[in-house]
Structure formats: C-alpha cells, structure tokens
Amino acid sequence: MTCWIWHDQGVSVNEYAIARCFFSAQECNKPELLVSADSDFAAYLNGVFLGRGQFSDFPDRKTFTRIPLAGVLKSGKNELQIHVQFCGSDFLSHQAGTPRLWAEVRDGETVLTGT
C-alpha cells in the first residue's frame, strides 16, 4: 500500500531530499506516475526527466500530478528517482505544510511500485 514518506532527520526550511527505488515491469498498456509532494518535485525514470510540479494545492488538500510513462518505462528493471524540495515557510504562492512525498507507478489499476 502506498503511503506518505519522509526522512526522520528533523524538518528545516528549504530542504531537499531524493527518493529512489528500483522495480520490475512487464509490457504495460498505459503506464503512468502519480506524484504528490510538499512543496515541489522533479521526477526521473531511467535517467529521463519526466516532469515537475506541485505548488498548486494546499497542505490540507493535497492533489497529485499524473505523468504518462509510455516510451520511458521499459520491460525489466527500472529506476525511479524523485527529487523533492520542501519550502517550509509561507510566501506569496505557497502555504507551508508538512514535508512528505507520495508516489505510485501504475498500469491501469495495477500498482507496479509505490512509496
């Protein structure tokens, strides 16, 4: 089951973390990455930049970004990296929240890997 993650080294303003995992996949029909982070993220699959984003939601109403993986996800072993920036303070376009990351790689309803 996919859940929110973060390291246990304490919280600081303008903090960066990298989550990385390896997973195997077979032929997929419609693979996609779903990501939610506080505050911002950049995602990579097998070294290919997939996209970034997040700032558009509120800490108490998190949304996720959906990124198609067709052409990047390969049969066999894959490496997913998500670089997360936690702002940790309020400013004009951001409300401070809790540092966290939630991510899943799916093919339809099948979860291939998750946090």
Side-chain angles (χ1 to χ4, degrees):
M1 176 177 194
T2 306
C3 60
W4 291 99
I5 62 169
W6 198 252
H7 63 75
D8 59 0
Q9 305 300 310
V11 177
S12 63
V13 174
N14 201 28
E15 182 175 357
Y16 293 83
I18 298 174
R20 182 176 115 181
C21 73
F22 294 92
F23 66 97
S24 292
Q26 304 303 319
E27 287 188 34
C28 295
N29 295 319
K30 195 173 180 181
E32 61 185 352
L33 171 65
L34 285 68
V35 183
S36 186
D38 195 317
S39 304
D40 198 9
F41 73 88
Y44 301 83
L45 182 63
N46 301 320
V48 175
F49 175 69
L50 300 173
R52 60 165 298 280
Q54 202 58 41
F55 283 105
S56 63
D57 57 13
F58 292 100
D60 61 338
R61 290 185 302 255
K62 297 302 291 175
T63 60
F64 60 83
T65 300
R66 190 181 298 263
I67 301 171
L69 300 178
V72 183
L73 183 70
K74 59 185 181 183
S75 290
K77 189 175 180 180
N78 290 271
E79 178 186 8
L80 176 66
Q81 279 194 27
I82 302 176
H83 301 218
V84 183
Q85 176 197 12
F86 173 65
C87 293
S89 61
D90 293 333
F91 55 91
L92 183 61
S93 62
H94 178 73
Q95 184 179 22
T98 303
R100 56 190 175 164
L101 168 67
W102 181 98
E104 276 186 353
V105 174
R106 290 183 179 184
D107 182 28
E109 295 298 313
T110 303
V111 177
L112 302 175
T113 191
T115 55

